[in-house]
Amino acid sequence: MPLEVGSQYKEIMKEYLESRSEKDLYVGQQFCRRFIEKDIAPEDVISLHKTALYELYPELQNEVWDSLDFLIEMMIHYGITLREHQSLIRKQEAIQLEMDVATKVQDTILKTRMPSVCGLDVGFISEPAKKMNGDYVYFLNNEHESAVAVADVIGKGIPAALCMSMIKFGMDGLPHENTSPRNVLAIINRIVEKSVDDSMFISMFYGNYNAEDSTFSYASAGHEPALHFNSRTEVFTELDAKGLLLGVIQDAEYEERSVKLNDGDFIAIMTDGVTETRTEEGFIDVNLIRSLLFEVKDGTAQQIADHVYHHLSELQNYRLSDDFTIVIFKKEREQV
């Protein structure tokens, strides 16, 4: 430590202790810049203070000097901890920057085109609980058909996003003549099984609406059952079909079923971020979702999706515990 710095510090401290004036305190505050210029550590400043104090008041009790020695040790460890903390913050900032870039890339890559089929009203919401979305919605459109894939990766963050990119790649490459639900899931399953780590699994529901006969055919790879609302009976029915999660075994087979949609009927396809909504009291009652859907059964598909999302989000104090996705396929009523 430079001797002139110690000497100057002692004189400034002496002036202040004798005057207790704001002016001398200000001089000391400005002198702190010298510590930075000379790269003097906080614990060395305390050591300098102790030396100056001893030269000015050598008769002070031993407890004073011992307390200053204690303070020096504390500042040494404080400096180490502070540097570790600052290093951690820089790493977190770098990770956050990477996550922001990855989120933008994900949004760009996973964009999909909304269906436009006569007589079908479509609405959906897909909101991530954090930065990256582990849910994925993909629409396929033909002249008289509209299909939707709703997938949920068991996992979060960038690995889940990479899995979603693989799903997008598979969906984009589907042959147009082979898009029945069971075939689609079988194709995507083979891609996932070959390309995704064994620790990552994906559930997926795939449904296809045919406008010519108003049928909705579907298959499921371990996904949450969709709900079919029958506008004539005002009853909900689960649309469940047997099938393993994607990526478990290469030659998995998937059951395909179908249901006829009448005017005003709708299908609600959801991920477990909807069906397993958690509040401070625990998981919601499954019947709550049916009640929410029923409350807006006469609304548009988007109004139905919005209503469920806003209500369940409010129950969670607007902090989602899991990625939230709901898709509504509603058969429009014929205009008289």
Side-chain angles (χ1 to χ4, degrees):
M1 185 185 306
L3 292 177
E4 68 271 15
V5 174
S7 177
Q8 290 171 358
Y9 180 82
K10 183 179 72 171
E11 290 303 318
I12 293 172
M13 183 174 72
K14 179 182 177 182
E15 292 293 332
Y16 174 74
L17 292 176
E18 291 177 352
S19 68
R20 302 291 202 280
S21 69
E22 290 292 330
K23 177 183 176 181
D24 289 329
L25 178 61
Y26 177 76
V27 172
Q29 292 171 341
Q30 295 303 304
F31 188 75
C32 288
R33 299 176 185 272
R34 295 292 304 279
F35 299 146
I36 298 174
E37 293 171 359
K38 300 294 184 179
D39 196 25
I40 298 175
E43 61 269 20
D44 291 332
V45 174
I46 298 174
S47 180
L48 183 151
H49 179 87
K50 177 186 175 184
T51 300
L53 191 63
Y54 182 79
E55 292 177 359
L56 292 172
Y57 305 101
E59 72 282 358
L60 291 176
Q61 295 182 357
N62 289 333
E63 288 81 3
V64 174
W65 313 121
D66 292 342
S67 69
L68 289 173
D69 290 336
F70 179 81
L71 181 57
I72 290 171
E73 292 297 322
M74 293 300 100
M75 291 306 297
I76 290 173
H77 288 281
Y78 171 78
I80 294 172
T81 304
L82 178 61
R83 287 190 289 272
E84 292 175 348
H85 178 69
Q86 291 171 336
S87 176
L88 180 60
I89 289 177
R90 286 192 293 270
K91 290 178 181 179
Q92 289 176 332
E93 289 174 345
I95 292 172
Q96 185 61 52
L97 180 59
E98 291 179 357
M99 288 292 289
D100 291 341
V101 173
T103 300
K104 292 179 181 178
V105 172
Q106 184 188 42
D107 291 341
T108 301
I109 292 177
L110 302 185
K111 281 184 179 178
T112 185
R113 185 167 59 90
M114 285 287 286
S116 179
V117 174
C118 183
L120 179 67
D121 183 21
V122 178
F124 83 101
I125 286 180
S126 186
E127 286 289 334
K130 297 181 179 178
K131 281 281 185 181
M132 305 296 291
N133 199 341
D135 291 351
Y136 179 46
V137 178
Y138 185 95
F139 295 107
L140 282 82
N141 303 278
N142 293 319
E143 185 178 356
H144 300 294
E145 293 183 335
S146 181
V148 62
V150 177
D152 183 2
V153 176
I154 301 175
K156 304 297 178 189
I158 293 179
L162 293 175
C163 285
M164 287 307 173
S165 299
M166 191 61 63
I167 295 291
K168 175 68 158 52
F169 167 78
M171 298 299 293
D172 284 341
L174 286 173
H176 292 293
E177 69 278 2
N178 199 23
T179 55
S180 69
R182 64 185 302 172
N183 289 334
V184 168
L185 290 186
I187 292 171
I188 300 301
N189 176 69
R190 287 194 291 271
I191 294 173
V192 171
E193 197 277 334
K194 290 179 180 178
S195 308
V196 177
D197 186 84
D198 292 341
S199 64
M200 301 293 292
F201 297 105
I202 304 170
S203 71
M204 184 170 171
F205 184 96
Y206 185 85
N208 184 68
Y209 176 75
N210 188 320
E212 294 183 328
D213 59 9
S214 300
T215 59
F216 182 81
S217 55
Y218 60 94
S220 175
H223 198 80
E224 295 289 321
L227 290 176
H228 168 221
F229 176 72
N230 187 316
S231 61
R232 294 180 179 177
T233 62
E234 296 193 336
V235 171
F236 286 97
T237 304
E238 286 191 351
L239 301 185
D240 200 4
K242 296 179 181 178
L244 290 173
L245 293 166
L246 299 177
V248 177
I249 59 175
Q250 184 175 6
D251 298 322
E253 295 183 357
Y254 297 92
E255 180 184 17
E256 181 173 326
R257 296 181 177 181
S258 63
V259 62
K260 177 95 172 172
L261 298 188
N262 301 308
D263 290 353
D265 285 12
F266 64 82
I267 307 291
I269 308 162
M270 299 161 284
T271 59
D272 58 10
V274 181
T275 58
E276 297 179 4
T277 295
R278 294 190 296 272
T279 66
E280 294 179 355
E281 288 74 33
F283 290 104
I284 62 169
D285 189 306
V286 292
N287 291 320
L288 174 61
I289 296 174
R290 300 189 183 201
S291 298
L292 294 173
L293 292 168
F294 187 81
E295 288 173 1
V296 284
K297 65 184 188 303
D298 296 322
T300 66
Q302 192 59 52
Q303 287 171 342
I304 295 172
D306 289 341
H307 181 71
V308 175
Y309 170 72
H310 289 305
H311 187 87
L312 295 184
S313 178
E314 183 180 11
L315 288 180
Q316 300 175 78
N317 295 318
Y318 302 99
R319 288 182 289 185
L320 298 178
S321 57
D322 196 0
D323 301 326
F324 186 108
T325 298
I326 181 170
V327 179
I328 306 295
F329 267 29
K330 183 174 185 180
K331 188 175 186 301
E332 296 177 325
R333 297 184 184 275
E334 293 185 5
Q335 300 295 323
V336 180

